[in-house]
Each structure stands twice: as C-alpha cells, then as structure tokens.
Amino acid sequence: GTPTEAGSFTYIVKTTGTCVQKTQTGTITVKPDPTISTPSNKDQELCINTSVNSIQFDITAPATGASVTGLPSGMSGTYSNGKFTISGSPTVSGTFEYTVTTTGSCVQKSQKGIIIVYAKPEVEAIEDVVGCNDFDIDEINFSGNIDDPNGYFEWTNDNVSIGLPAS
C-alpha cells in the first residue's frame, strides 16, 4: 500500500501450521515529505544592477538542500542549515518567474516567485531652444524609455525669471 502517515511502524510475520512456529519482526520507517516556506518577500520589483532584498526559504528534513531555476543573471541561491537564500543584483531587465525546489529523498516540494527588473530609464537628448522675448516657445516633447510603471519624466528650470515655471 501507500503510506499516508510518517513515522516508524513495527510489523510481525508469523508462520502457521503443525510444526514449530516462527516469528519475525521488522520496522517500516516512513519519512515525511519535506516542506518549504512561503517568504512574504518572494515577489519583488527592483531596478537593474541594484541588490534584491534577500529572500529566505525555510526547508525541512528529509530535504538535504534546494535548487533554483529561472533567476535573472546576477542573482543566485545558496543552501545552508535548512535555509535557502536568494540574493544578488540582476544585470538584465524583464520579468522572471523562478522556482525553488527541495532536493533529497521523498517527494520534493517547490515554491514559485516573481522578480521584476526594470531597465534604467533613459531620456533622449533634446535640442536647445532659442526664442524671443514675449513670444511663445513651442512645446518641448520628452521621449525615452521608462519601463517602471511608477516612473515619469520630470523637468526643472533653475531660472524662473525667464517666465517658465520651475518644474
């Protein structure tokens, strides 16, 4: 059969018949499946080339370690004393779904997470503007790459006496 409970179980085997009976005993040991925790910070958003907040998974026996797949370049995972820790600084941008899987005997357990890495924002060069006093200046359009959903372009003017606002 298939065990449904972990532990040590003793069994007895007896012969039957008309002669001297024999008895043998043995033990069946059923190991528990390992467990892996769900860290509250397993899903993170950060900018390229910045350190991730370390992500620590607690791993229980009979697991003897863990491995990870799907991390961006610049990040890695290490196992020590029942803890699997993901750290590093991603060197590529994108969305990365990673999986941490226990290693060892019995049925292995996995935990998934997502790391979203934003590229450094870029703004394309704009030409200097030349205008005359008391004439409107044409609208200045900013363009570039901002893949952070919370990012935006911001400008400042350090000489408000020319009639343009400070920002």
Side-chain angles (χ1 to χ4, degrees):
T2 302
T4 58
E5 184 178 335
S8 292
F9 306 93
T10 303
Y11 64 89
I12 300 171
V13 177
K14 295 180 184 179
T15 61
T16 61
T18 55
C19 296
V20 176
Q21 305 304 308
K22 293 287 185 169
T23 302
Q24 291 289 337
T25 61
T27 302
I28 296 174
T29 301
V30 179
K31 295 179 182 179
D33 289 336
T35 61
I36 183 169
S37 67
T38 306
S40 61
N41 68 337
K42 69 181 182 70
D43 300 329
Q44 293 188 30
E45 297 180 31
L46 66 154
C47 295
I48 195 168
N49 296 320
T50 58
S51 294
V52 69
N53 292 324
S54 292
I55 305 167
Q56 183 174 289
F57 295 85
D58 294 321
I59 310 288
T60 63
T64 56
S67 62
V68 65
T69 59
L71 289 176
S73 296
M75 294 182 65
S76 62
T78 56
Y79 178 82
S80 179
N81 297 321
K83 311 267 185 223
F84 187 81
T85 305
I86 294 175
S87 60
S89 300
T91 58
V92 293
S93 62
T95 299
F96 302 89
E97 183 174 316
Y98 67 90
T99 304
V100 175
T101 304
T102 60
T103 59
S105 61
C106 298
V107 175
Q108 301 310 308
K109 302 294 181 178
S110 294
Q111 190 64 255
K112 293 183 181 287
I114 295 177
I115 305 284
I116 299 173
V117 182
Y118 298 117
K120 288 185 179 179
E122 296 177 7
V123 62
E124 294 177 13
I126 52 175
E127 294 182 27
D128 291 339
V129 176
V130 177
C132 296
N133 196 24
D134 293 328
F135 284 94
D136 288 338
I137 294 176
D138 291 335
E139 183 177 286
I140 300 171
N141 292 311
F142 300 96
S143 63
N145 174 34
I146 300 179
D147 63 356
D148 180 344
N150 298 313
Y152 55 91
F153 291 109
E154 182 177 89
W155 70 282
T156 59
N157 170 27
D158 62 356
N159 186 359
V160 293
S161 66
I162 64 170
L164 296 174
S167 61

